[in-house]
Amino acid sequence: MKSFTIEKNDADQRLDKFIAKAVPMLPQSLLYKYIRTKRIKVNSKRAEISTRLKCGDIVDMYINDEFFAAKEEKYDFLSASSKLDVVYEDENILLLDKKVGLLSHPDETEYNDTLITRVKRYLYEKGEYDPKDENSFVPALVNRIDRNTGGIVIAAKNAESLRILNQKLKDRELEKYYLCVVHGYLDKKNGTLAGWLIKDEKKNKVRVFTKEMPESKQIKTKYSVLDEKDGLSLVEVELLTGRTHQIRAHFSSIGHPLLGDGKYGTNALNKALGYKKQFLYSYRLRFAFTTEAGILDYLNGKSFEVNDVWFRREFLSGKLTSESK
């Protein structure tokens, strides 16, 4: 038998979700069975699978000790790099400048050194996060950016901030702005592109159509041309919808693919110019809350920007250097 006291970072979770995180060795089938048969109780009373836990609740688990494996003292995230580019930090969140080439989360190609493992190491070494002190919460990223794209990623330091920001992201109350370089000159220097997107999951590639198609999702991409040189355009983009590869596919669909984009671009053009990585950066973020944001209300209206975008300075000076290639 073991008891858990629900702390702030565990509150507002469903009982089954909390148990799955707090006791990961307990099979799901037994988890549900033990709740039904009252071997798992909340405040000494029978609880439902969907019971929402509150701060101060006591969860008693009358189950075999074998399921309560000791947490390992050696943490995988400590083998991650300590390099982390912090744009902004307070007691609730981190805004991070993810560089091109770094994964946001582990995948089959990289497990240890990713943005989230670097965040865990950073907070652990600052004394702000210790797995031994948490029943279920771990620091988490609110948004993610593809490996081949750089830019601002939000990390939540506590569960309340994570819940709020996940909802704000879903409700489109976070404004994200990108810089990109596209081939050619656009006829209209400002505008909003509209279309319909279909994703091929197997190929991890999308197609854009001018009219609605079966299983398509609407996309809107607002843009403004900042400068033009040598057959290339520097463009600021605001995502009015957030779909997979939206910017890359949308500009490619109108005949202006991103410079260096091997998936949606023109290889002959990229090869001629000698650039091998796509010119796309999520460089600015604005908190634009239209509803209450609880402990994060102080962020409303604030804007944060990455000043050193790797290709902007070279473009504006008229010389995209070999370092950008």
Side-chain angles (χ1 to χ4, degrees):
M1 183 267 191
K2 187 171 183 179
S3 295
F4 293 85
T5 300
I6 301 303
E7 305 292 346
K8 189 175 182 180
N9 278 337
D10 303 317
D12 201 36
Q13 292 187 79
R14 281 172 41 138
L15 176 60
D16 59 334
K17 300 297 183 184
F18 168 78
I19 296 171
K21 295 173 186 176
V23 194
M25 295 185 65
L26 180 64
Q28 190 176 61
S29 58
L30 287 181
L31 186 160
Y32 293 131
K33 178 182 179 181
Y34 289 167
I35 293 175
R36 289 196 306 270
T37 58
K38 296 187 289 186
R39 291 182 67 175
I40 297 177
K41 299 180 179 181
V42 177
N43 299 327
S44 301
K45 298 178 181 178
R46 180 175 182 171
E48 301 296 327
I49 291 170
S50 59
T51 295
R52 288 279 174 182
L53 298 173
K54 300 186 295 294
C55 197
D57 282 349
I58 305 295
V59 178
D60 295 318
M61 301 187 189
Y62 298 88
I63 62 179
N64 295 346
D65 290 339
E66 66 194 73
F67 296 121
F68 300 115
K71 294 181 180 178
E72 57 178 302
E73 297 296 327
K74 177 69 174 68
Y75 302 117
D76 289 342
F77 59 75
L78 290 178
S79 63
S81 169
S82 61
K83 182 174 176 54
L84 202 62
D85 296 290
V86 179
V87 177
Y88 170 80
E89 179 178 9
D90 62 30
E91 68 275 16
N92 296 312
I93 69 166
L94 279 163
L95 298 185
L96 307 160
D97 178 11
K98 187 195 83 67
K99 301 303 184 183
V100 174
L102 181 65
L103 281 169
S104 295
H105 294 97
D107 69 2
E108 65 276 4
T109 65
E110 178 59 61
Y111 177 77
N112 288 324
D113 191 25
T114 65
L115 184 62
I116 187 57
T117 52
R118 291 186 185 188
V119 167
K120 291 176 183 177
R121 175 177 176 174
Y122 173 77
L123 294 176
Y124 180 82
E125 291 178 344
K126 285 186 68 180
E128 293 187 30
Y129 166 63
D130 191 333
K132 296 194 301 295
D133 297 333
E134 301 288 346
N135 291 321
S136 63
F137 176 76
V138 294
L141 305 182
V142 176
N143 61 314
R144 59 178 297 168
I145 295 178
D146 292 341
R147 184 177 205 152
N148 296 323
T149 304
I152 298 178
V153 176
I154 311 169
K157 291 185 177 184
N158 53 64
E160 188 172 0
S161 296
L162 181 61
R163 285 193 293 272
I164 292 169
L165 289 172
N166 279 339
Q167 189 62 49
K168 297 302 182 186
L169 185 68
K170 181 180 178 181
D171 294 341
R172 311 295 304 170
E173 294 182 35
L174 302 176
E175 296 177 354
K176 292 179 286 183
Y177 298 84
Y178 291 73
L179 286 179
C180 64
V181 176
V182 303
H183 288 283
Y185 301 147
L186 284 79
D187 293 335
K188 294 182 178 180
K189 305 311 175 188
N190 298 276
T192 299
L193 304 177
W196 300 86
L197 179 147
I198 296 177
K199 182 178 181 181
D200 185 329
E201 295 286 352
K202 291 182 179 180
K203 295 182 179 180
N204 190 30
K205 193 171 183 179
V206 303
R207 294 179 65 191
V208 175
F209 300 86
T210 56
K211 61 181 181 179
E212 187 173 7
M213 305 289 285
E215 300 183 2
S216 65
K217 296 180 179 179
Q218 189 175 28
I219 56 173
K220 291 184 179 180
T221 309
K222 187 177 180 180
Y223 72 91
S224 178
V225 176
L226 303 180
D227 202 359
E228 299 172 331
K229 284 184 177 70
D230 303 323
L232 299 171
S233 299
L234 178 66
V235 183
E236 181 188 68
V237 177
E238 180 185 358
L239 283 180
L240 303 182
T241 56
R243 309 295 185 194
T244 301
H245 301 170
Q246 178 176 323
I247 295 174
R248 298 163 63 190
H250 216 166
F251 278 99
S252 179
S253 74
I254 63 168
H256 296 283
L258 269 62
L259 177 59
D261 189 347
K263 179 170 286 191
Y264 299 98
T266 305
N267 287 329
L269 289 174
N270 290 330
K271 187 175 181 180
L273 292 172
Y275 294 102
K276 299 179 181 178
K277 54 185 178 181
Q278 64 194 26
F279 282 54
L280 179 64
Y281 218 90
S282 178
Y283 85 114
R284 185 154 64 94
L285 172 72
R286 181 175 180 272
F287 295 92
F289 303 150
T290 57
T291 56
E292 290 187 7
I295 64 170
L296 300 182
D297 263 334
Y298 62 90
L299 290 171
N300 196 20
K302 291 187 177 181
S303 180
F304 300 90
E305 183 174 327
V306 174
N307 294 315
D308 188 25
V309 176
W310 62 273
F311 56 81
R312 175 170 55 179
R313 182 174 60 254
E314 286 81 0
F315 189 99
L316 293 175
S317 66
K319 52 178 183 177
L320 288 172
T321 68
S322 59
E323 293 179 358
S324 298
K325 296 184 180 182

